[in-house]
Amino acid sequence: MTTFDSIFFSVFKHYKTTYKQKANSIAIAYLSLLQIALILVLGVFFSIFLEQIHVNTFSASKGWTLFIMTSIFIYFRNWIVYSGRKRKVLNAKTNKSKQTTYSIWLLWLLLLGCISLAVILLNA
């Protein structure tokens, strides 16, 4: 079980008590946003790094197009993995083994931190 699986089930279990039917959608959206934010931070970092050493690999518009396509792929991948039978199998595995649970506040701060770091790097 990966770290992202643990994060998904932490968010899922937190929102399962208050939003019974929407908990899966909230957890998928959160995990997708977190992964997209991490990709954005890495992309911006490498873009600035390659600009500093004067390497022109591709234009900014092509980079944003690649980012959007990657974001769509990440969301649909998470939607397929964490919906239906695969989620039930992973949930059964987490119930049998010790699962690391994360604080929901820490998880939301992690997402906001990634987004703010990407914005700071974009403005630099």
Side-chain angles (χ1 to χ4, degrees), residues 8 11 37-38 41 100 103 113 121:
F8 173 81
V11 173
L38 290 172
V41 169
T100 306
S103 168
L121 286 175

Side-chain angles (χ1 to χ4, degrees), residues 6-7 9-11 13 98-104 106-107:
S6 298
I7 291 172
F9 283 111
S10 293
V11 173
K13 286 181 181 178
K98 282 190 171 183
Q99 179 195 3
T100 306
T101 56
Y102 299 103
S103 168
I104 194 70
L106 182 67
L107 291 174

Side-chain angles (χ1 to χ4, degrees), residues 4-5 8 24 28 31 78-84 87 90:
F4 290 123
D5 293 339
F8 173 81
N24 195 36
I28 289 172
L31 187 65
N78 287 336
W79 179 63
I80 289 172
V81 169
Y82 296 113
S83 294
R87 179 181 61 87
L90 284 172

Side-chain angles (χ1 to χ4, degrees), residues 41-81:
V41 169
L42 285 173
V44 169
F45 173 76
F46 283 120
S47 172
I48 292 172
F49 175 73
L50 291 174
E51 182 181 314
Q52 291 292 323
I53 61 171
H54 303 293
V55 175
N56 294 330
T57 53
F58 53 90
S59 67
S61 63
K62 289 181 184 177
W64 284 110
T65 304
L66 181 64
F67 172 71
I68 290 169
M69 289 183 349
T70 305
S71 300
I72 292 169
F73 173 76
I74 286 172
Y75 179 77
F76 282 118
R77 182 204 168 272
N78 287 336
W79 179 63
I80 289 172
V81 169

